[in-house]
């Protein structure tokens, strides 16, 4: 929502650094009972609990980008679920640290009789997946093959993912048995930093984490092999010293846990900026190189989060990686795609995050998270017509999507992009789009300008029902279609509403959001 002047995120950061007592407790931390929390549910006295910590957000009301009413939905209660639904990625710990009142008091709980034996029943109900919030931490203390054996047998019986390891003189191979058919390299994220190995395997909406402090040093480069049909993941590490390892290492936080992806915190690694090139007057292509010891491939339509410390506060914003160009000969991801991330970013002179990004020099580092997103390739697998509605940088998810469908979806007959911008100068990759339309007869692009400079340079207009009813037309009756929408939140919301009013079903419309 539009905020009053002087209420930007930067103004909030300034206020938090001013030394003002924002909790009303003069820096004291207290234990908060549910009854106490419920008492603070008014706009001029508002406390909210997130993940067991209670914040006094009264002063933050006017600075909340989503507005005070939105914040009031969680007033005096546990707002964790609401927070996770709207912006799980926002670093509230850093932004609200001066508002911290204390911790929720623990409630006495009745002793639970639940044991591992109850799992198979639940597992059946959830088609092999564990229920929300159920952490199956099956790690053994020191991870020697002998001691993990019993646990391993149990895991095999329960059909949850498990791992094993073996070695030769030079190599250590960690094997994860995910038991999921159709695993691919986008579903495995590996990091090796300071002797710590972290492997996150994404199995539908769940994450199986292997997190170990390795016993001995290994070389920087890692290799990841995936046997797609059986869902076996192999991570090959090169020993620095060719000595036998008696154990793989010590378990670290959340090792061997199997939980919902949305319950797993974001993991970051430092990436090096290796080039910055202009796309338009205000938009640049940032090429980031992943560390050699990281394996991360961002799926089509997914985004990552960048993190920077701005005025002493951690700020996180989402960005959608693109390919280096719109190629008509796009096949499998190239080597470059698995070692680099390319981001197309608009710099807002009055923005909080992007001017800082723009100040990064070649060779500087920035923190990049794992990827997230709800788009699935299966949505386009047997598609006949694809319609893309993009506004401004909302074009970014369309780039990989275009490359992917034009090369991989045999059933595809038409792909139409309607691209909304203010002026002609704002159109991203206009040349490439026009070239692609000339080269591939299935592809068509229309530019809609809200503030055209000259006469006759593209259609003038804004997103509307009449524009969409003209544009979204099936190539044949009953053809299988998908309409993808991305842009400023109100643009996307209007687009979805118009499409719904025109009779398109929920399955036929996908919007890219965080
Ligand atoms: P902000 O500080 O957010 O400000 C942006 C503009 O809005 C400025 O002009 C500012 O003056 C104005 N403004 C800020 N707050 C208000 C207010 N309350 N009222 C009125 N005006 C206000 N962007 C890209 O460029 N490329 C991408 O690939 C990309 N991918 C994204 C993927 C997802 C899933 C999402 C949700 C967003 C994505 N974005 C992308 C947007 C990106 O995350 C940032 O929002 C954007 O870069 C703005 O950052 P900023 O902090 O510099 O600007
Ligand atoms: P912009 O230049 O401000 O606007 C691009 C076009 O969208 C213009 O024609 C503009 O028309 C129109 N538009 C803007 N707001 C509108 C609204 N409320 N209703 C109807 N049309 C509207 O866009 P931008 O600065 O590049 O911003 C791109 C947005 O896309 C950002 O908000 C970003 O967060 C979002 N984004 C999302 C994702 C994702 O995956 N979710 C990815 C990338 C970008 P007017 O001239 O009338 O404003």
């Amino acid at each position: 929502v539009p905020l009053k002047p002087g209420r930007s995120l930067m103004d909030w950061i300034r206020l938090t650094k001013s030394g003002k007592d924002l909790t009303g407790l003069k820096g004291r931390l207290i234990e908060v009972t549910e009854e106490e929390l419920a008492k603070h549910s008014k706009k001029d006295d508002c406390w909210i609990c997130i993940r067991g910590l209670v914040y006094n957000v009264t002063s933050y009301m006017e600075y909340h980008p989503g507005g005070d009413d939105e914040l009031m939905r969680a007033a005096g209660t546990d707002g964790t679920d609401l927070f996770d639904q709207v912006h799980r990625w926002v670093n509230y710990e850093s932004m609200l640290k001066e508002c911290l009142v204390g911790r929720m008091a623990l409630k006495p709980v009745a002793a639970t009789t639940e044991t591992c034996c109850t799992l198979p029943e639940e597992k059946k109900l959830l088609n092999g997946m564990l229920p929300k919030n159920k952490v199956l931490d099956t790690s053994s203390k020191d991870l020697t093959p002998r001691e993990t054996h019993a646990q391993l047998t149990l895991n095999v019986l329960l059909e949850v993912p498990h791992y094993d390891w073996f070695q030769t003189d030079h190599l250590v191979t960690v094997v994860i048995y995910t038991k999921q058919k159709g695993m691919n390299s986008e579903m495995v994220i590996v990091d090796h930093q300071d002797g710590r190995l972290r492997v996150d395997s994404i199995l539908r909406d769940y994450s199986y984490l292997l997190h170990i402090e390795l016993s001995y040093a290994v070389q920087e480069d890692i290799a990841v092999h995936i046997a797609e049909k059986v869902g076996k993941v192999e991570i090959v590490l090169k020993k620095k010293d060719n000595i036998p390892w008696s154990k793989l290492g010590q378990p670290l936080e959340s090792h061997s846990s199997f939980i919902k992806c949305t319950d797993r915190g974001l993991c970051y690694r430092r990436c090096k900026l290796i080039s910055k090139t202009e796309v338009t007057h205000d938009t640049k292509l940032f090429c980031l190189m992943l560390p050699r010891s990281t394996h991360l491939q961002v799926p089509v339509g997914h985004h990552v989060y960048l993190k920077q410390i701005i005025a002493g506060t951690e700020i996180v914003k989402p960005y959608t990686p693109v390919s280096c160009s719109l190629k008509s000969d796009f096949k499998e991801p190239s080597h470059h795609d698995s070692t680099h991330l390319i981001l197309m970013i608009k710099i807002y002179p009055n923005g909080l995050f992007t001017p800082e990004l723009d100040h990064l020099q070649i060779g500087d580092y920035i923190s990049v998270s794992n990827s997230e997103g709800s788009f699935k390739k299966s949505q386009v697998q047997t598609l006949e017509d694809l319609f893309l509605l993009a506004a401004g940088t909302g074009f970014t998810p369309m780039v990989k999507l275009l490359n992917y469908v034009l090369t991989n979806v045999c059933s595809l007959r038409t792909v139409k992009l309607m691209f909304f911008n203010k002026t002609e100068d704002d159109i991203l990759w206009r040349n490439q789009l026009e070239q692609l339309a000339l080269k591939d007869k299935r592809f068509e692009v229309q530019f809609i300008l809200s503030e055209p400079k000259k006469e006759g340079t593209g259609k003038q207009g804004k997103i509307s029902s009449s524009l969409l009813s003209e544009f979204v037309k099936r190539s044949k009756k009953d053809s299988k279609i998908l309409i993808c929408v991305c842009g400023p939140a109100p643009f996307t919301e209007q687009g979805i509403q118009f499409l719904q009013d025109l009779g398109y079903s929920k399955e036929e419309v996908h919007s890219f959001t965080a």
Side-chain angles (χ1 to χ4, degrees):
V1 301
L3 301 172
K4 285 188 205 151
R7 295 292 181 271
S8 70
L9 189 47
M10 196 64 214
D11 294 314
W12 169 251
I13 293 173
R14 277 194 209 106
L15 177 65
T16 62
K17 308 279 171 220
S18 68
K20 196 172 168 202
D21 176 13
L22 300 179
T23 59
L25 295 168
K26 300 194 172 71
R28 218 164 27 97
L29 291 178
I30 58 170
E31 275 217 338
V32 184
T33 58
E34 267 181 30
E35 296 72 40
E36 183 62 31
L37 178 65
K39 285 183 200 160
H40 304 270
S41 59
K42 292 175 255 355
K43 260 190 193 162
D44 57 358
D45 175 18
C46 180
W47 292 10
I48 290 175
C49 168
I50 308 177
R51 280 184 243 290
L53 295 180
V54 179
Y55 298 91
N56 181 342
V57 295
T58 318
S59 332
Y60 183 61
M61 278 293 161
E62 292 193 319
Y63 297 82
H64 185 232
D68 49 5
D69 287 346
E70 195 62 19
L71 207 54
M72 283 305 291
R73 287 172 65 194
T77 65
D78 185 342
T80 310
D81 283 349
L82 193 60
F83 174 85
D84 282 351
Q85 276 165 31
V86 184
H87 40 42
R88 188 174 80 86
W89 43 275
V90 167
N91 194 339
Y92 65 93
E93 291 104 321
S94 183
M95 277 171 39
L96 296 180
K97 62 176 178 268
E98 297 306 324
C99 303
L100 185 65
V101 167
R103 190 178 285 282
M104 281 305 284
L106 287 179
K107 271 196 299 190
V109 282
T112 167
T113 52
E114 191 180 333
T115 67
C116 271
C117 305
T118 59
L119 283 173
E121 261 320 297
E122 290 171 346
K123 192 169 62 65
K124 260 187 235 156
L125 290 172
L126 286 149
N127 195 20
M129 294 300 179
L130 294 172
K132 188 175 187 285
N133 290 334
K134 180 157 289 290
V135 181
L136 190 72
D137 192 338
T138 55
S139 55
S140 71
K141 279 248 152 28
D142 69 356
L143 309 167
T144 61
R146 212 166 64 88
E147 287 182 22
T148 52
H149 183 74
Q151 190 60 61
L152 215 135
T153 314
L154 180 67
N155 286 348
V156 173
L157 288 173
L158 293 176
E159 284 199 22
V160 296
H162 63 276
Y163 75 96
D164 202 351
W165 68 283
F166 59 88
Q167 59 185 316
T168 63
D169 285 349
H170 309 288
L171 305 175
V172 168
T173 303
V174 180
V175 189
I176 299 165
Y177 301 93
T178 69
K179 306 200 177 90
Q180 178 163 302
K181 281 185 190 158
M183 275 300 286
N184 65 49
S185 60
E186 289 174 347
M187 298 171 179
V188 183
I189 301 153
V190 186
D191 289 284
H192 169 245
Q193 275 171 37
D194 306 324
R196 291 157 172 239
L197 179 69
R198 190 181 191 282
V199 185
D200 195 353
S201 306
I202 312 297
L203 312 168
R204 278 170 259 167
D205 296 332
Y206 281 74
S207 144
Y208 175 70
L209 187 75
L210 180 132
H211 197 195
I212 293 169
E213 172 109 50
L214 295 172
S215 291
Y216 298 94
V218 296
Q219 293 177 32
E220 212 188 344
D221 53 328
I222 49 165
V224 178
H225 305 296
I226 290 160
E228 290 194 19
K229 286 196 180 123
V230 287
K232 189 171 87 171
V233 177
E234 277 187 2
I235 293 108
V236 185
L237 308 165
K238 289 182 193 153
K239 290 179 180 176
K240 262 198 179 150
D241 303 307
N242 297 331
I243 47 167
W245 291 21
S246 56
K247 58 186 181 186
L248 184 58
Q250 294 289 341
L252 293 168
E253 193 193 340
S254 305
H255 169 64
S256 201
S257 58
F258 185 41
I259 60 174
K260 271 215 141 194
C261 291
T262 45
D263 293 334
R264 180 92 64 213
L266 286 172
C267 165
Y268 289 86
R269 71 280 304 147
R270 306 282 288 163
C271 295
K272 191 176 183 176
L273 177 66
I274 58 162
S275 69
K276 198 164 59 164
T277 44
E278 271 187 17
V279 178
T280 64
H281 61 103
D282 59 9
T283 303
K284 291 181 183 169
L285 220 49
F286 290 76
C287 182
L288 302 173
M289 190 167 70
L290 291 162
R292 283 180 75 194
S293 51
T294 291
H295 168 93
L296 168 66
Q297 286 175 7
V298 181
V300 172
H302 287 216
H303 51 271
V304 294
Y305 296 94
L306 299 188
K307 183 166 77 178
Q308 299 187 98
I309 311 260
I310 299 175
T313 300
E314 268 187 14
I315 306 289
V316 175
K317 296 252 169 158
Y319 294 94
T320 313
V322 296
S323 334
C324 51
S325 66
L326 283 170
K327 301 166 276 189
S328 50
D329 59 350
F330 179 84
K331 278 280 169 215
E332 284 304 299
S334 66
H335 175 64
H336 188 272
D337 286 333
S338 52
T339 52
H340 294 73
L341 286 180
I342 303 170
L343 301 168
M344 190 185 272
I345 298 181
K346 174 166 166 177
I347 312 296
Y348 296 87
N350 306 324
L352 177 67
F353 199 82
T354 50
E356 292 285 328
L357 263 186
D358 201 25
H359 286 142
L360 287 182
Q361 301 295 315
I362 306 302
D364 284 350
Y365 284 81
I366 180 149
S367 296
V368 180
S369 78
N370 290 2
S371 61
E372 280 192 348
S374 58
F375 187 82
K376 295 192 170 65
K377 279 184 184 156
S378 57
Q379 288 173 263
V380 293
Q381 226 84 79
T382 53
L383 209 63
E384 294 170 275
D385 303 326
L386 175 64
F387 299 93
L388 309 174
L389 307 173
T393 54
F395 171 60
T396 51
M398 311 304 182
V399 172
K400 279 194 183 188
L401 180 56
L402 268 172
N403 279 340
Y404 178 76
V405 293
L406 289 173
T407 329
N408 294 287
V409 181
C410 325
S411 50
L412 200 70
R413 272 199 299 272
T414 57
V415 185
K416 285 168 73 177
L417 166 68
M418 188 172 257
F419 195 1
F420 297 80
N421 284 281
K422 284 192 190 301
T423 72
E424 204 173 14
D425 297 342
D426 297 321
I427 303 175
L428 302 165
W429 280 358
R430 177 179 187 165
N431 246 337
Q432 290 203 43
L433 285 166
E434 287 173 340
Q435 288 296 320
L436 186 64
L438 283 176
K439 232 173 163 180
D440 194 320
K441 292 290 162 244
R442 294 169 299 172
F443 178 64
E444 197 183 296
V445 57
Q446 277 185 34
F447 300 112
I448 310 290
L449 304 176
S450 48
E451 297 171 15
K453 282 188 182 156
K454 295 172 255 160
E455 285 291 312
T457 52
K459 228 176 187 172
Q460 180 170 0
K462 274 175 168 281
I463 191 161
S464 66
S465 183
S466 59
L467 210 56
L468 297 191
S469 68
E470 278 284 299
F471 180 71
V472 185
K473 288 214 168 98
R474 293 175 200 266
S475 61
K476 71 174 175 43
K477 196 173 167 282
D478 298 333
S479 62
K480 190 173 175 206
I481 70 162
L482 182 71
I483 311 163
C484 293
V485 193
C486 191
F491 168 93
T492 306
E493 281 156 22
Q494 283 176 44
I496 293 171
Q497 189 59 53
F498 291 142
L499 293 166
Q500 205 177 314
D501 297 345
L502 288 168
Y504 295 99
S505 69
K506 281 209 167 95
E507 292 69 40
E508 288 173 329
V509 180
H510 179 88
S511 63
F512 294 96
T513 48

